[in-house]
Amino acid sequence: MSQARSDHVIVEIVDGIGHIRLNRPDARNALSPEMKDLLTRTTLEFERDPQVRAVLISAVGDDFMVGADLKRFKAELDHDQAEHALLFEQRVVKFNHYFNLLHRMPKPVILAAQGHTVGVGFCMASVVDFVIAADDVKFMLAYRHIALSPDAGITWALPRLVGERRAKEIVMFGETIDAQKALDWGIANWVVPKAELQERALAIAARLARGPTMALARGKKLVGEAFDTGWDAQLNREAEYISECVGSADHLEGVTAFLEKRKPAFKGR
């Protein structure tokens, strides 16, 4: 199933993969209000749809996303800066729901990044589970260049990815991070030639979509909670979650397939 939700976002569900593609290549996929609403709505739908067992986020064009639409910002500032500042916090809090959905998604989320992956695009890459990057990728937090502090959860996610001092370096200097550094610092899991990005990203998403969805969700949640949980509490959660998985159809299939020396056919149940 393929559906263009608008001129800005393309949505497709195929073989268990919920695929969201940013589609403003002429604007280098700069974030628009319409894109914000559709990203939030579609991600919520994917969370609740049992047919979706993995989520892939990618973008049409040479760049994944250059961040906010600064032309719109300038128009609003010129019109009434005080009013723009008054309403801005409400807009940020509203869009934060999208990043919370990415963080809590009980299914693997993969992001395929190419070219400039800046601002909100970098924030998206920091919150998802896996990032596959083209060899021309350029990550950057550009907030400091327009005298803003970061948002969208990146100040929570980035220190967990790269460590506190590197996170401060990224935030305070706003310098470009190329593909090799992104790989070395743990911002990207894989770097591939740009021509292979979509094919490789779909292959990773397909592998995850064929997996034991409940077990992957519980594993994702445990790892995500680990930095904020003490040893005893984490052990208790591990016991709770693994016991839930024992009652799943996929666990029975996995054990049976192992004993029969064949590949398991997980159904996400």
Side-chain angles (χ1 to χ4, degrees), residues 41-207:
R41 178 182 176 86
T42 303
T43 304
L44 183 59
E45 290 174 354
F46 282 178
E47 178 185 59
R48 298 180 179 184
D49 188 345
Q51 293 184 359
V52 175
R53 295 170 59 191
V55 176
L56 174 61
I57 305 169
S58 67
V60 178
D62 292 329
D63 299 296
F64 178 78
M65 179 187 282
V66 294
D69 188 339
L70 295 187
K71 291 181 180 178
R72 182 170 61 85
F73 271 29
K74 184 64 165 62
E76 292 174 352
L77 288 167
D78 288 343
H79 175 69
D80 189 335
Q81 185 171 4
E83 178 71 8
H84 176 67
L86 185 67
L87 297 177
F88 198 79
E89 183 175 356
Q90 297 176 42
R91 287 159 50 177
V92 171
V93 170
K94 180 181 178 182
F95 193 43
N96 278 348
H97 182 47
Y98 168 64
F99 292 90
N100 186 47
L101 290 171
L102 286 181
H103 175 65
R104 81 183 193 194
M105 175 68 72
K107 303 157 188 183
V109 183
I110 309 98
L111 185 143
Q114 77 275 16
H116 288 86
T117 304
V118 177
V120 173
F122 193 173
C123 295
M124 291 167 67
S126 75
V127 175
V128 300
D129 301 312
F130 304 102
V131 172
I132 180 168
D135 52 11
D136 72 336
V137 77
K138 296 178 178 64
F139 291 101
M140 183 172 66
L141 279 191
Y143 292 87
R144 60 97 65 213
H145 298 302
I146 55 171
L148 291 179
S149 58
D151 65 349
I154 196 163
T155 58
W156 182 93
L158 200 56
R160 287 164 168 77
L161 288 174
V162 303
E164 182 179 344
R165 288 194 173 178
R166 281 178 173 168
K168 288 177 180 177
E169 179 182 339
I170 293 168
V171 168
M172 295 186 187
F173 285 94
E175 295 176 345
T176 298
I177 300 170
D178 63 18
Q180 186 59 53
K181 183 179 284 189
L183 188 64
D184 293 342
W185 283 14
I187 295 166
N189 298 86
W190 307 277
V191 171
V192 300
K194 185 174 183 179
E196 300 176 15
L197 178 64
Q198 295 303 317
E199 180 182 357
R200 298 280 292 275
L202 282 167
I204 292 167
R207 181 178 178 184

Side-chain angles (χ1 to χ4, degrees), residues 217-237:
R218 299 302 186 272
K220 169 179 175 173
K221 190 170 177 61
L222 284 165
V223 173
E225 294 171 341
F227 286 99
D228 302 310
T229 305
W231 169 254
D232 291 337
Q234 191 76 356
L235 286 179
N236 288 335
R237 288 179 180 176

Side-chain angles (χ1 to χ4, degrees), residues 222 233-246:
L222 284 165
Q234 191 76 356
L235 286 179
N236 288 335
R237 288 179 180 176
E238 287 181 348
E240 176 187 348
Y241 294 167
I242 196 172
S243 296
E244 291 176 357
C245 294
V246 166

